[in-house]
Amino acid sequence: MDFTFTEEQQAATEAARAVFSGVAPDGVPSPALVPGAVAEDIDRPLWAGLATGDLLGLTLSPEHGGAGLDLVALCLVLRESAKVLARVPLLETCTVAMALQRYGDPRLAAELLPLVGRGDLVLTVGANGRSGHDPAELAVTAHRDVPTRSDRPGEVSGKGPDKVPDEILGDATGDASGGAAGWVLDGVQSGVPWAQAADWIAVPAHTGEGRAVLALIRPADEGVTLAEQVSTSGELFAEVRLDSVRINSRALIDTAGAWEWLRALLTTGTCALALGLGEAVLAMTSEYTGKREQFGFPVATFQSVAVQAADRYIDLRAMEVTLWQAAWRISTGADSALPPEGDIAVAKIWASDGVRRVVQTAQHLHGGFGADTDYPLHRFHAWAKQIELSLGPATAHEESLGDLLAAHLLG
């Protein structure tokens, strides 16, 4: 098995390291010391730096101003971002842009995606449903809007803040040519990352026929309400409530498999975040135990400490190999005994369990120092718990994997 990355993927990694090199994990107040969110916005200077480094358009096609790379390259960048707890919606923006590029209306994609690459547009996605335990697409309903002559063109879609002209989205009751009707959305998506900072939110929904669709809405659209929520990591999330939100047909992706593909990208990207965070924590633990002395010797030389660190290193290597297997399957569409969902489930099982074990061992080996709010380890612990549960904990993916194994005979 060849794990060698291409020159382009290696270049993306080096560019990411350069951008993230100046980011401090403790650049905002500690989530343990503030009653609400650690900040009201994303890290805008870092977002601008990612755009300048051409990392926001990494997976966009050249026609949209991107580099045309694959999910593996994005995961390499996400891995670096997690090492410094980068407070930017890199995963959400890039994966929603990939879904829009692959499945969305070509005219809308041509208008939005170049803005994404330049850092002028922030995208996010509601992937948690109402509670985080049920399928996200079941939390919102989508049905076709029946236009009436009393409807006023442009009433809802209108113009965004110099983002998308009316001639691209058309009016609220149909597309620009006056053909297909629009859609009406009702429901709730909770735990939407950085929704207040986003220009567009991708919302999975289900139709009356039971199909999963993907809608693009704006926080300012009529009927959209954002209620503040605070994540385990201390970041500002939102409950997005949709009350008869009318969108144009161009803003809804009803191609079969579009939401499932986006969810696969999000889950795999979350595994990359877990890997990067775990690697940073293990390095932090190695440095600390190499300097901390007891009985005249560094504690890293004690067998019990070395064995625990070695076990966590094995966890990280398992997290890494399953991550690249999943990303490779998605990127190439390669055949296997199980569909790509099987590899994704295995990767998330290792990511969730592995990152939890890494931070718990780090806290143990740091002793009381690990809980000191002047030391960044507790921040990594909070982010690890957020990542562990995002898009389903290990047990949920073990159940999914079991279903896949039951449905596919392995010979």
Side-chain angles (χ1 to χ4, degrees):
M1 188 173 292
D2 186 3
F3 287 101
T4 304
F5 297 111
T6 66
E7 291 184 5
E8 292 82 2
Q9 291 166 345
Q10 293 175 11
T13 303
E14 293 301 320
R17 287 173 179 166
V19 172
F20 294 125
S21 62
V23 178
D26 52 359
V28 292
S30 166
L33 301 178
V34 294
V38 297
E40 294 299 313
D41 197 8
I42 63 175
D43 188 339
R44 294 288 177 176
L46 176 56
W47 192 249
L50 290 169
T52 301
D54 295 326
L55 293 173
L56 296 181
L58 196 67
T59 55
L60 299 179
S61 64
E63 68 177 296
H64 296 134
L69 299 185
D70 59 7
L71 178 61
V72 173
L74 176 60
C75 286
L76 286 167
V77 176
L78 290 169
R79 179 187 191 178
E80 297 302 319
S81 75
K83 293 178 181 180
V84 296
L85 307 183
R87 301 181 48 261
V88 287
L90 179 63
L91 170 62
E92 295 79 10
T93 293
C94 290
T95 53
V96 172
M98 291 171 71
L100 176 59
Q101 176 175 257
R102 179 166 176 157
Y103 294 105
D105 179 81
R107 292 180 62 194
L108 184 58
E111 184 69 25
L112 293 182
L113 296 183
L115 296 174
V116 171
R118 297 199 297 267
D120 294 332
L121 207 65
V122 175
L123 307 176
T124 191
V125 56
N128 293 310
R130 287 180 175 271
S131 64
H133 300 290
D134 300 321
E137 66 272 18
L138 299 184
V140 176
T141 61
H143 65 269
R144 289 192 180 277
D145 185 19
V146 180
T148 65
R149 292 188 179 277
S150 61
D151 291 328
R152 291 182 296 167
E155 182 175 315
V156 177
S157 66
K159 286 188 178 181
D162 297 325
K163 301 295 185 185
V164 185
D166 284 331
E167 57 268 22
I168 295 297
L169 281 178
D171 61 65
T173 62
D175 62 17
S177 63
W183 293 78
V184 179
L185 306 173
D186 290 279
V188 176
Q189 290 285 350
S190 65
V192 180
W194 293 296
Q196 293 84 348
D199 298 293
W200 290 81
I201 304 172
V203 178
H206 69 282
T207 67
E209 300 82 27
R211 292 185 297 111
V213 296
L214 191 62
L216 295 174
I217 65 168
R218 290 170 292 193
D221 284 344
E222 185 176 345
V224 178
T225 304
L226 304 186
E228 290 190 2
Q229 295 179 318
V230 180
S231 69
T232 301
S233 57
E235 297 300 332
L236 183 61
F237 282 17
E239 177 189 80
V240 179
R241 185 172 295 275
L242 310 176
D243 184 11
S244 297
V245 177
R246 298 168 68 200
I247 64 171
N248 186 268
S249 58
R250 294 187 184 278
L252 186 133
I253 302 173
D254 61 356
T255 306
W259 161 238
E260 290 79 5
W261 192 72
L262 174 55
R263 184 173 57 198
L265 298 181
L266 288 166
T267 306
T268 306
T270 301
C271 296
L273 294 175
L275 175 61
L277 186 150
E279 289 174 331
V281 167
L282 188 60
M284 189 185 309
T285 304
S286 176
E287 181 180 5
Y288 176 78
T289 56
K291 294 179 180 179
R292 177 77 167 88
E293 291 190 359
Q294 285 186 351
F295 311 111
F297 298 94
V299 296
T301 62
F302 299 168
Q303 186 178 28
S304 61
V305 173
V307 167
Q308 291 181 71
D311 285 343
R312 300 296 77 83
Y313 177 82
I314 293 171
D315 276 335
L316 290 175
R317 298 290 69 80
M319 291 164 65
E320 183 176 17
V321 70
T322 54
L323 163 65
W324 299 133
Q325 172 72 7
W328 174 75
R329 286 291 307 279
I330 295 173
S331 298
T332 63
D335 291 330
S336 184
L338 290 178
E341 289 78 10
D343 296 289
I344 295 167
V346 170
K348 190 57 167 67
I349 292 167
W350 273 104
S352 292
D353 283 345
V355 77
R356 184 187 70 252
R357 288 192 291 259
V358 168
V359 295
Q360 286 177 344
T361 297
Q363 290 282 13
H364 175 64
L365 296 182
H366 274 82
F369 196 54
D372 190 339
T373 55
D374 291 328
Y375 187 69
L377 181 58
H378 74 288
R379 297 175 185 265
F380 284 88
H381 202 154
W383 277 68
K385 180 55 67 174
Q386 181 71 39
I387 291 172
E388 176 193 348
L389 301 178
S390 292
L391 294 150
T395 51
H397 290 275
E398 287 168 353
E399 183 177 348
S400 298
L401 181 61
D403 292 340
L404 286 169
L405 289 171
H408 294 79
L409 296 178
L410 304 180

